[in-house]
Amino acid sequence: MPLNIVIKKNLEKDINEIFKQYLIDENLHYLDDDLCFFQYMNFIERSIHPKPRKVLEASTFYVPEKLKKSYEILKTKITEGLDINIYLSNRIFDTNYVDDLFNFEDLVHFHLGSELEIYEKNQKSVIKRSKELAIALVKDDCIIFLAIKNHEDEDIWNNSGYLDTLSEEFPNQIAYRELKELSGDRLTDEEIENARKLGINYTYQSSSNKCYSTIPVLLGTKAKGFKKSLKSSISRVRAKHSNQKIRLIYTLNHHVEDIKNEIVEKQNPGIYEIKLLKILKRDQFLFQIKLIFNGNSETEIILKDDSMSISFRGNSR
């Protein structure tokens, strides 16, 4: 006679509840409970993890006299591994915002103010906004400063010169983007802007005659209706991070199957609910799962490296 074992789960709901709490903990605005994972990942991806880094500068990088003190303070914070997210755009707190300079080129901009101010939307302290912005590439071990631009400069956001400088002076830092034995187009800044607006990936021939791809944003296509599908920025955020969620769900389902097999093997009939409690380490897929038996007994399971052991408190037969 088969065992009467019922197993319930709703991992999608659990994931969004967890990431919703992450958003609340960071005092971030979010649009929809069903999209909390994507919005939080959009915030995290644009944040800079505090750790000591070297500071490198392009040969043409020039700091005006009035900004030197602020820039030196920023450099010190970088080399000491302090939090420098306060120098980034306020839009980092907008989890629905699509930053095309970052999405396509991996570049960020730092404000070079010298005082702190409160960002009214979430009451967080940030560096006072400045018209002058430092454009940079953030890597795990260094930050490369390319140029200081005025916020009103026409070429600040769509500037092929940034990639040219990286290709000529720091080729190893963008080697992951190089398409060897291929040729790209010498796109104008206007053509780059138009491609980004459509969410289309493109290749670019640098001044050093190397071909580079953009950071993969979406599967580029000019198919009819593509522009319409990208009308809202949250749809672009969701598309960019969809693979991350697919991997997360896949790994969780793998663990859930192990839990089901363990339950059947112990021959302990009843109604089980598998609930994801925490994602302890997202990069290592370390999870904490609660197993609810007949609505009252709970066994918390920490899953790591595919190892697991389940015990039933007071309900074994």
Side-chain angles (χ1 to χ4, degrees), residues 47 156 233 295:
S47 303
I156 183 172
S233 56

Side-chain angles (χ1 to χ4, degrees), residues 144-275:
I144 305 170
F145 285 95
L146 302 174
I148 289 182
K149 292 284 188 178
N150 190 290
H151 209 294
E152 298 174 355
D153 289 345
E154 290 185 1
D155 65 345
I156 183 172
W157 308 121
N158 305 291
N159 190 326
S160 57
Y162 302 148
L163 184 58
D164 287 338
T165 298
L166 288 168
S167 177
E168 292 172 6
E169 300 186 29
F170 307 97
N172 291 338
Q173 298 294 346
I174 57 170
Y176 63 97
R177 293 177 55 186
E178 185 178 356
L179 302 173
K180 296 184 182 297
E181 300 180 3
L182 293 177
S183 61
D185 299 313
R186 284 292 292 176
L187 300 175
T188 65
D189 292 346
E190 182 179 1
E191 288 171 330
I192 290 174
E193 180 180 11
N194 289 335
R196 291 177 181 175
K197 284 181 178 178
L198 291 174
I200 297 175
N201 296 323
Y202 52 88
T203 58
Y204 178 78
Q205 191 82 16
S206 72
S207 57
S208 56
N209 291 320
K210 293 181 179 179
C211 180
Y212 293 94
S213 66
T214 56
I215 305 302
V217 178
L218 298 171
L219 293 176
T221 174
K222 294 184 179 179
K224 183 178 180 181
F226 183 72
K227 184 175 180 181
K228 181 179 180 181
S229 69
L230 299 178
K231 187 175 182 180
S232 69
S233 56
I234 188 59
S235 67
R236 295 177 66 174
V237 169
R238 178 167 47 188
K240 182 172 185 182
H241 296 288
S242 61
N243 283 340
Q244 290 171 292
K245 190 168 186 181
I246 289 171
R247 290 197 300 272
L248 177 60
I249 292 288
Y250 175 83
T251 306
L252 276 169
N253 278 324
H254 173 74
H255 287 308
V256 166
E257 286 302 312
D258 287 343
I259 293 172
K260 287 180 179 179
N261 292 335
E262 185 88 0
I263 290 170
V264 172
E265 185 176 326
K266 288 183 178 295
Q267 297 188 0
N268 203 50
I271 299 174
Y272 295 83
E273 181 182 356
I274 297 173
K275 184 173 179 60

Side-chain angles (χ1 to χ4, degrees), residues 40-236:
Y40 184 77
M41 294 307 297
N42 188 37
F43 164 72
I44 285 296
E45 185 182 49
R46 292 181 292 147
S47 303
I48 299 173
H49 178 66
K51 63 171 295 186
R53 292 177 172 88
K54 295 181 293 184
V55 173
L56 305 176
E57 298 172 353
S59 60
T60 55
F61 183 72
Y62 170 74
V63 183
E65 188 65 34
K66 66 177 182 177
L67 298 175
K68 284 186 177 179
K69 182 178 179 180
S70 299
Y71 176 64
E72 288 301 320
I73 292 174
L74 173 58
K75 283 174 60 179
T76 299
K77 290 185 176 182
I78 292 171
T79 56
E80 292 182 355
L82 301 178
D83 186 0
I84 56 174
N85 289 298
I86 58 174
Y87 288 86
L88 297 177
S89 168
N90 285 338
R91 301 301 294 271
I92 191 175
F93 302 121
D94 181 355
T95 60
N96 188 40
Y97 179 64
V98 176
D99 184 339
D100 281 342
L101 182 62
F102 175 77
N103 279 355
F104 286 89
E105 301 292 344
D106 243 2
L107 300 179
V108 303
H109 68 271
F110 294 99
H111 286 267
L112 296 175
S114 57
E115 302 174 358
L116 288 174
E117 64 181 9
I118 299 297
Y119 182 50
E120 292 184 358
K121 287 188 176 181
N122 60 9
Q123 296 299 301
K124 287 182 179 286
S125 295
V126 296
I127 284 293
K128 190 172 183 178
R129 307 294 87 178
S130 61
K131 288 186 177 180
E132 296 83 10
L133 307 173
I135 307 298
L137 175 67
V138 178
K139 305 290 287 185
D140 187 57
D141 62 345
C142 68
I143 294 182
I144 305 170
F145 285 95
L146 302 174
I148 289 182
K149 292 284 188 178
N150 190 290
H151 209 294
E152 298 174 355
D153 289 345
E154 290 185 1
D155 65 345
I156 183 172
W157 308 121
N158 305 291
N159 190 326
S160 57
Y162 302 148
L163 184 58
D164 287 338
T165 298
L166 288 168
S167 177
E168 292 172 6
E169 300 186 29
F170 307 97
N172 291 338
Q173 298 294 346
I174 57 170
Y176 63 97
R177 293 177 55 186
E178 185 178 356
L179 302 173
K180 296 184 182 297
E181 300 180 3
L182 293 177
S183 61
D185 299 313
R186 284 292 292 176
L187 300 175
T188 65
D189 292 346
E190 182 179 1
E191 288 171 330
I192 290 174
E193 180 180 11
N194 289 335
R196 291 177 181 175
K197 284 181 178 178
L198 291 174
I200 297 175
N201 296 323
Y202 52 88
T203 58
Y204 178 78
Q205 191 82 16
S206 72
S207 57
S208 56
N209 291 320
K210 293 181 179 179
C211 180
Y212 293 94
S213 66
T214 56
I215 305 302
V217 178
L218 298 171
L219 293 176
T221 174
K222 294 184 179 179
K224 183 178 180 181
F226 183 72
K227 184 175 180 181
K228 181 179 180 181
S229 69
L230 299 178
K231 187 175 182 180
S232 69
S233 56
I234 188 59
S235 67
R236 295 177 66 174

